[in-house]
C-alpha cells in the first residue's frame, strides 16, 4: 500500500517570498493553460487551475497550491461547483465509473484523492455546510471506498471528523446568539434601575494579569472559529467574466469574522463604561490604571487585539474629556502603550512588535510563547488593500495567481496563529462578566461622563441637556 502524501504544517508552507521554489516539478503544464516564470505559477485559465488541483497516479498537487487555489476559488465560483468539477475529473480520468474497476488502479489513486478531500475538509470545513457539497463529497468517497475495503475506514473517518467540526461550529454560533441575547436583556434592566445589577470589573477580578489571560481565552476561541475563506468572502463582488452575474455573497458565510469584530467593539465600550460609571474621581482613576496594567499584560502575552480594544476604549471622547480624572492618573505606562499602537507610518511600531511576537512563536517551546493575536481590523484592512490593489483576472482572462499567492501567504500566517491552544486556566465567572455584562451606548457614555465632570463649553452643555431630556422621557 502506498503511503499517503505527507504535508508540512502551515508555518512551513510559504517561504519568505510567498512562493515555494520547488513547486510543480512533477507536472509539466506550461502548455496546458498555466503560465510559469522561474518555476512559479503566475497565472492560468480557471479550467487549467482546476485540472492542476486533481491528483493522478503519478502526481499530487503541492500543499501551498491546494490551499491557495481553494482559498481564491471562492472569488470565482461556489465551492459546490468546484467540487462537482473535481469529482467529474477524478471519475473521468481514473475511469472510476467503469464496472470492472481494476483494484490495482484504485489502490494507486485512492490515497491521493482521499488526501485531497482530507485537506479540503480540514482546512475549509465551512464549504461543506451545503447539502450539494456533502452529496458530491459522499459520492466520490463512496466510489473510492467501494473499490477496496481498506479505504472504507478512511472515508468513514474523514466524514466523521467533518461532521464533528460542523456540529461544533453550530453549537458555537448558538452560544454566541445566547450571549448576545443575555447582554441585550441586561441592558434593558440597566436603563431602568442601574444600581440593582451593575458590578464593576475590579470587584469581579482585581488582578489585571488574570483579566488579560481571560481576554486571551476569548480572543483565541473566537479566532479559532474564523474560516480562512471568510477573508475572501468578505470582499466578493462579482467576476467580470461572469456576464455581470453577482458572485454569491451570503452574509452567513462571514459571520464568525463579523462576531470577532463585534467582540472588539464590545471590549472597547466595556472599558469606556467601566471608567465612566464610578461617581468618584479617585475610583475612575483607579479603573484607568487597572486597564493600563491589563493592556500592558496583553502586550506581553502577544494579544494585540485586546490591547488595541482597551486603548481605543480609553481614547473614546466620553473618557478622554475627563480631565480631572486623568490628572489623578500616572500616565507614563499608558503613554508607552499608546506609542506602541500609534497609527502613524501605517502602524510601524505595532507591525514591528507583531514581527517580534511572530518570531518568538516560531521558536517557542510552550503554548504561552506561541500566542500571536493580531490587531484584527488592521489584518482585514491589509487583506482588503491587497485584494483591491490587484485585479483577479489578467487582460487575457487568466486568473492572476501571483496575487493569490500573496493573499494565501497572509491568510496562512493567520491560520498558524488561530491554532494555538490557550495555556491559561479558564475562570468562568470572569469570562461570563466580560461577555454578558451590559455596556453603555454612546449616549449613555456621554451622559455618565457629563455627570462625572460637568460640560465645559456650549456644545457639551447643549448635548447634556438633550441627553438628559431623552433619558427622562
Amino acid at each position: 500500500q502506498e503511503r499517503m502524501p505527507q504535508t508540512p504544517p502551515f508555518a512551513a508552507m510559504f517561504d519568505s517570498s510567498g512562493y515555494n521554489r520547488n513547486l510543480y516539478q512533477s507536472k509539466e503544464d506550461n502548455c496546458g493553460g498555466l503560465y510559469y516564470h522561474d518555476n512559479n505559477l503566475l497565472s492560468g485559465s480557471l479550467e487549467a487551475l482546476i485540472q492542476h488541483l486533481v491528483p493522478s497516479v503519478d502526481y499530487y498537487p503541492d500543499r501551498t497550491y491546494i490551499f491557495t487555489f481553494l482559498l481564491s476559488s471562492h472569488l470565482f465560483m461556489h465551492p459546490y461547483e468546484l467540487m462537482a468539477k473535481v469529482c467529474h475529473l477524478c471519475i473521468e480520468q481514473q475511469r472510476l465509473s467503469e464496472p470492472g474497476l481494476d483494484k490495482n488502479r484504485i489502490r494507486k489513486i485512492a490515497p491521493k484523492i482521499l488526501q485531497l478531500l482530507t485537506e479540503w475538509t480540514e482546512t475549509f470545513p465551512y464549504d461543506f455546510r451545503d447539502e450539494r457539497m456533502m452529496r458530491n463529497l459522499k459520492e466520490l468517497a463512496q466510489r473510492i471506498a467501494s473499490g477496496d475495503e481498506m479505504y472504507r475506514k478512511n472515508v468513514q473517518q474523514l466524514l466523521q471528523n467533518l461532521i464533528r467540526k460542523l456540529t461544533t461550529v453550530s453549537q458555537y454560533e448558538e452560544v454566541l446568539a445566547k450571549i448576545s441575547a443575555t447582554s441585550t436583556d441586561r441592558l434593558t434592566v440597566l436603563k431602568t434601575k442601574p444600581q440593582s445589577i451593575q458590578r464593576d470589573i475590579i470587584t469581579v477580578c482585581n488582578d489585571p494579569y488574570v483579566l488579560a489571560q481571560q481576554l486571551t481565552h476569548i480572543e483565541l476561541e473566537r479566532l479559532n472559529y474564523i474560516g480562512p475563506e471568510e477573508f475572501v468572502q468578505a470582499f466578493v463582488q462579482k467576476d467580470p467574466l461572469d456576464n455581470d452575474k453577482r458572485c454569491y455573497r451570503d452574509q452567513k458565510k462571514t459571520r464568525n469574522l463579523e462576531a470577532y469584530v463585534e467582540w472588539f467593539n464590545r471590549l472597547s465600550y466595556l472599558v469606556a463604561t467601566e471608567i465612566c460609571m464610578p461617581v468618584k474621581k479617585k475610583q475612575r482613576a483607579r479603573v484607568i490604571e487597572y486597564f493600563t496594567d491589563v493592556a500592558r499584560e496583553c502586550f506581553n502575552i502577544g494579544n494585540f487585539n485586546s490591547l488595541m480594544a482597551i486603548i481605543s476604549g480609553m481614547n473614546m471622547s466620553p473618557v478622554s474629556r475627563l480631565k480631572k480624572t486623568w490628572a489623578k492618573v500616572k500616565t507614563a505606562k499608558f503613554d508607552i502603550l499608546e506609542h506602541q499602537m500609534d497609527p502613524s507610518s501605517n502602524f510601524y511600531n505595532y507591525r514591528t512588535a507583531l514581527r517580534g511576537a511572530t518570531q518568538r512563536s516560531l521558536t517557542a517551546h510552550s503554548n504561552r510563547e506561541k500566542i500571536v493575536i493580531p490587531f484584527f481590523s488592521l489584518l482585514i484592512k491589509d487583506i482588503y488593500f491587497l485584494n483591491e490593489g490587484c485585479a483577479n483576472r489578467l487582460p487575457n482572462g487568466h486568473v492572476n495567481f501571483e496575487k493569490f499567492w500573496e493573499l494565501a501567504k497572509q491568510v496562512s500566517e493567520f491560520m498558524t496563529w488561530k491554532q494555538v491552544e490557550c495555556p491559561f486556566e479558564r475562570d468562568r465567572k470572569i469570562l461570563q462578566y466580560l461577555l454578558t455584562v451590559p455596556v453603555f451606548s454612546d449616549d449613555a457614555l456621554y451622559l455618565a461622563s457629563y455627570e462625572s465632570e460637568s460640560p465645559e463649553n456650549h456644545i457639551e452643555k447643549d448635548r447634556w441637556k438633550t441627553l438628559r431630556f431623552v433619558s427622562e422621557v
Side-chain angles (χ1 to χ4, degrees):
Q1 183 191 347
E2 251 188 45
R3 288 191 65 222
M4 295 285 262
Q6 292 304 295
T7 52
F10 265 106
M13 267 175 51
F14 292 85
D15 76 3
S16 57
S17 70
Y19 312 133
N20 188 326
R21 296 283 163 209
N22 311 313
L23 290 187
Y24 321 116
Q25 295 298 309
S26 53
K27 200 177 191 195
E28 283 307 313
D29 251 338
N30 278 333
C31 52
L34 296 179
Y35 172 70
Y36 293 85
H37 182 67
D38 286 349
N39 267 344
N40 294 319
L41 175 59
L42 299 187
S43 71
S45 69
L46 193 53
E47 290 309 314
L49 291 167
I50 295 170
Q51 178 72 61
H52 199 62
L53 182 70
V54 177
S56 66
V57 170
D58 53 5
Y59 163 76
Y60 187 77
D62 184 279
R63 192 182 191 196
T64 45
Y65 178 76
I66 296 173
F67 179 72
T68 305
F69 182 66
L70 289 179
L71 179 72
S72 54
S73 68
H74 291 85
L75 286 167
F76 302 102
M77 63 207 309
H78 272 284
Y80 78 85
E81 291 171 318
L82 176 62
M83 177 59 98
K85 289 189 176 195
V86 168
C87 289
H88 177 72
L89 284 169
C90 283
I91 290 163
E92 289 297 296
Q93 284 173 8
Q94 304 311 321
R95 305 195 294 285
L96 295 180
S97 50
E98 288 178 14
L101 200 56
D102 175 2
K103 281 203 173 178
N104 222 7
R105 200 167 72 242
I106 261 255
R107 276 186 188 160
K108 280 183 181 156
I109 188 62
K112 291 180 174 170
I113 295 177
L114 265 174
Q115 175 71 7
L116 179 67
L117 296 179
T118 302
E119 294 207 26
W120 195 339
T121 52
E122 282 182 0
T123 314
F124 297 92
Y126 301 173
D127 284 357
F128 296 86
R129 300 178 87 172
D130 179 318
E131 281 167 32
R132 295 164 295 194
M133 255 325 245
M134 280 304 243
R135 251 201 321 275
N136 279 330
L137 172 68
K138 283 175 180 165
E139 186 190 334
L140 184 55
Q142 289 323 121
R143 277 185 197 270
I144 295 169
S146 65
D148 198 314
E149 185 57 45
M150 169 161 69
Y151 299 118
R152 200 160 288 165
K153 275 201 180 99
N154 297 22
V155 166
Q156 275 175 338
Q157 190 65 51
L158 180 145
L159 291 170
Q160 276 167 2
N161 289 347
L162 176 60
I163 288 161
R164 190 164 56 240
K165 267 191 177 172
L166 294 180
T167 309
T168 311
V169 176
S170 299
Q171 287 166 346
Y172 164 73
E173 285 166 357
E174 281 167 26
V175 169
L176 279 189
K178 273 190 196 140
I179 287 172
S180 175
T182 309
S183 49
T184 313
D185 290 350
R186 291 202 178 172
L187 193 53
T188 322
V189 178
L190 183 64
K191 280 179 182 158
T192 48
K193 38 179 188 195
Q195 296 317 316
S196 64
I197 60 154
Q198 194 71 11
R199 292 151 73 203
D200 67 279
I201 191 97
I202 299 178
T203 315
V204 176
C205 173
N206 64 4
D207 184 344
Y209 287 84
V210 174
L211 194 81
Q213 293 174 357
Q214 299 311 306
L215 288 171
T216 304
H217 260 295
I218 295 171
E219 297 281 353
L220 283 172
E221 179 175 70
R222 299 208 166 193
L223 265 191
N224 185 39
Y225 282 100
I226 296 170
E229 72 286 350
E230 294 193 44
F231 290 103
V232 171
Q233 278 161 340
F235 311 133
V236 166
Q237 266 108 42
K238 60 181 187 221
D239 184 351
L241 293 192
D242 220 6
N243 304 327
D244 259 16
K245 182 183 86 177
R246 282 190 77 73
C247 213
Y248 76 106
R249 169 143 194 217
D250 173 355
Q251 281 306 307
K252 283 188 302 209
K253 303 279 182 203
T254 55
R255 67 178 143 202
N256 297 307
L257 186 143
E258 283 153 18
Y260 191 49
V261 173
E262 280 162 19
W263 153 249
F264 178 94
N265 296 336
R266 173 180 168 79
L267 181 53
S268 295
Y269 275 86
L270 174 70
V271 169
T273 301
E274 294 283 347
I275 295 169
C276 290
M277 224 172 27
V279 180
K280 292 193 173 130
K281 189 162 53 192
K282 193 172 141 193
Q283 182 62 14
R284 289 194 297 274
R286 187 179 163 218
V287 178
I288 289 174
E289 286 178 349
Y290 171 83
F291 273 119
T292 304
D293 287 339
V294 174
R296 191 167 65 160
E297 182 56 15
C298 285
F299 180 84
N300 293 337
I301 288 171
N303 178 356
F304 298 107
N305 203 51
S306 288
L307 164 63
M308 201 52 152
I310 292 169
I311 289 175
S312 66
M314 289 162 99
N315 279 328
M316 281 185 190
S317 24
V319 176
S320 59
R321 68 168 291 282
L322 298 169
K323 294 189 178 66
K324 291 172 189 160
T325 304
W326 281 96
K328 287 200 157 304
V329 174
K330 299 185 193 80
T331 54
K333 285 191 277 190
F334 181 69
D335 296 341
I336 292 167
L337 290 172
E338 267 213 310
H339 174 69
Q340 285 291 353
M341 303 309 267
D342 177 7
S344 59
S345 307
N346 192 14
F347 287 91
Y348 177 80
N349 297 342
Y350 157 68
R351 291 182 192 278
T352 308
L354 179 69
R355 268 201 308 279
T358 306
Q359 283 307 113
R360 177 184 72 182
S361 76
L362 292 176
T363 55
H365 297 298
S366 68
N367 269 349
R368 188 185 167 123
E369 292 171 323
K370 279 185 192 157
I371 297 171
V372 181
I373 300 169
F375 169 31
F376 195 64
S377 305
L378 190 61
L379 177 71
I380 292 180
K381 204 164 153 190
D382 287 346
I383 292 174
Y384 176 78
F385 283 123
L386 172 63
N387 187 58
E388 288 294 297
C390 299
N392 291 337
R393 299 262 195 186
L394 300 176
N396 66 358
H398 269 200
V399 171
N400 179 3
F401 217 71
E402 201 171 1
K403 164 184 175 169
F404 294 121
W405 284 129
E406 285 305 320
L407 183 70
K409 189 181 170 191
Q410 290 201 8
V411 176
S412 72
E413 193 167 38
F414 164 82
M415 295 290 283
T416 310
W417 296 335
K418 80 173 200 149
Q419 284 162 0
V420 175
E421 293 236 346
C422 192
F424 310 117
E425 211 174 306
R426 290 173 75 89
D427 185 312
R428 286 182 67 95
K429 189 180 66 182
I430 300 169
L431 289 171
Q432 177 82 1
Y433 184 88
L434 288 169
L435 291 168
T436 62
V437 74
V439 296
F440 285 165
S441 63
D442 283 312
D443 285 352
L445 282 173
Y446 272 109
L447 195 53
S449 178
Y450 294 144
E451 280 166 8
S452 298
E453 294 185 21
S454 336
E456 290 194 343
N457 54 41
H458 287 305
I459 298 169
E460 289 195 344
K461 282 176 183 158
D462 289 346
R463 181 158 197 181
W464 193 24
K465 269 185 205 153
T466 311
L467 290 173
R468 276 196 307 195
F469 175 72
V470 171
S471 70
E472 283 160 12
V473 168

